[in-house]
Amino acid sequence: MIKVDLHVHTNHSPDSLATPNDIRRWARRHDIDVVAITDHDTIGAAIEMHRLWPASVIVGEEIKTDRGEIIGLFLHEEVPAGLSPLETIRCIREQGGLVYVPHPMDRVRGSALAYDALLDVADQVDVIEAFNARVTLAVDNHLAAEFAEEHGLAQGAGSDAHSASEVGRAYTEMLPFSTPQDFLYAIGRARLSGRIASPLVHLGSTYARVAKSVMAALSISR
């Protein structure tokens, strides 16, 4: 069995300062074998990391649809933001990727996929994130797991790390895989593990966003 963190952000996301090397180092420290790099609306860092460490990185993207976020896994090309959930899923499927819905029941997070939209696309989803370490209310993870069970969907876990030290706070323990098809087989027999992060981790995301905005403003003024 291997440990896979299915939801990790790097400094290519606007609310993270974690470099690829930071992510790699902390994954090793926390005994995480594979990370899915799921930056917001970009696969730049994921492609770079997969080139350096192909056996331990899944190329992913957390895509902002017009109804909330969907993650594509095993991508080769960036999926544009702002499409409908159905169009987004089509773009993921066209390149052989898998559809992973992050934090679907998080009632605090405005970026979660709207419930009616989730119902509309449930038959096209591969994996529901049934444990997200950054949810504010633990019960929302339980509700996500219940939704997955009701709809016969595989369940995954991810730290949703925005700082490198968060990597591995939640993970999916599963059989080794090399292709998306292998992954689907393995995650259908996986075990989820993790613990909810302190709400203070969100301060780090806010700091990263503000710091990047200030640095961008300073560079423009020069």
Side-chain angles (χ1 to χ4, degrees):
M1 301 290 278
I2 60 173
K3 295 179 180 178
V4 185
D5 187 338
L6 287 169
H7 192 165
V8 175
H9 294 271
T10 76
N11 56 0
H12 285 226
S13 288
D15 48 2
S16 173
L17 297 174
T19 68
N21 283 330
D22 291 335
I23 298 296
R24 174 71 166 165
R25 184 172 65 254
W26 279 92
R28 285 177 165 177
R29 184 175 295 185
H30 291 162
D31 297 321
I32 299 298
D33 302 290
V34 179
V35 292
I37 301 301
T38 56
D39 285 317
H40 295 292
D41 303 320
T42 179
I43 61 172
I47 291 289
E48 172 191 341
M49 292 176 69
H50 185 264
R51 179 178 58 80
L52 293 172
W53 308 297
S56 23
V57 174
I58 298 171
V59 176
E61 178 187 358
E62 189 165 27
I63 307 147
K64 184 178 181 181
T65 79
D66 63 5
R67 301 299 309 282
E69 292 173 334
I70 291 175
I71 286 176
L73 298 175
F74 297 95
L75 300 181
H76 307 285
E77 299 177 3
E78 208 161 87
V79 177
L83 302 176
S84 71
L86 282 172
E87 291 171 320
T88 300
I89 289 171
R90 188 185 70 249
C91 290
I92 294 169
R93 293 278 187 227
E94 285 176 349
Q95 53 184 296
L98 301 179
V99 179
Y100 178 95
V101 179
H103 44 70
M105 300 299 171
D106 192 336
R107 69 195 74 186
V108 176
R109 198 176 327 215
S111 61
L113 188 63
Y115 186 71
D116 62 332
L118 176 59
L119 286 175
D120 286 343
V121 301
D123 62 341
Q124 300 184 54
V125 170
D126 295 301
V127 186
I128 290 288
E129 187 171 67
F131 195 105
N132 178 292
R134 276 189 161 221
V135 297
T136 303
L137 302 171
V139 67
D140 291 345
N141 279 334
H142 295 298
L143 292 174
E146 288 178 1
F147 182 91
E149 290 169 4
E150 288 169 5
H151 291 81
L153 299 172
Q155 301 178 34
S159 64
D160 200 357
H162 285 67
S163 63
S165 61
E166 293 176 68
V167 173
R169 193 177 292 273
Y171 60 87
T172 309
E173 193 170 2
M174 56 197 294
L175 295 167
F177 56 86
S178 57
T179 68
Q181 292 70 34
D182 292 342
F183 177 92
L184 282 178
Y185 176 85
I187 201 165
R189 295 149 182 79
R191 294 194 298 267
L192 310 188
S193 297
R195 61 194 189 282
I196 302 297
S198 163
L200 295 177
V201 296
H202 296 284
L203 294 178
S205 301
T206 301
Y207 172 80
R209 191 182 293 276
V210 171
K212 287 184 174 183
S213 296
V214 170
M215 288 187 286
L218 290 174
S219 65
I220 290 172
S221 65
R222 287 175 182 168

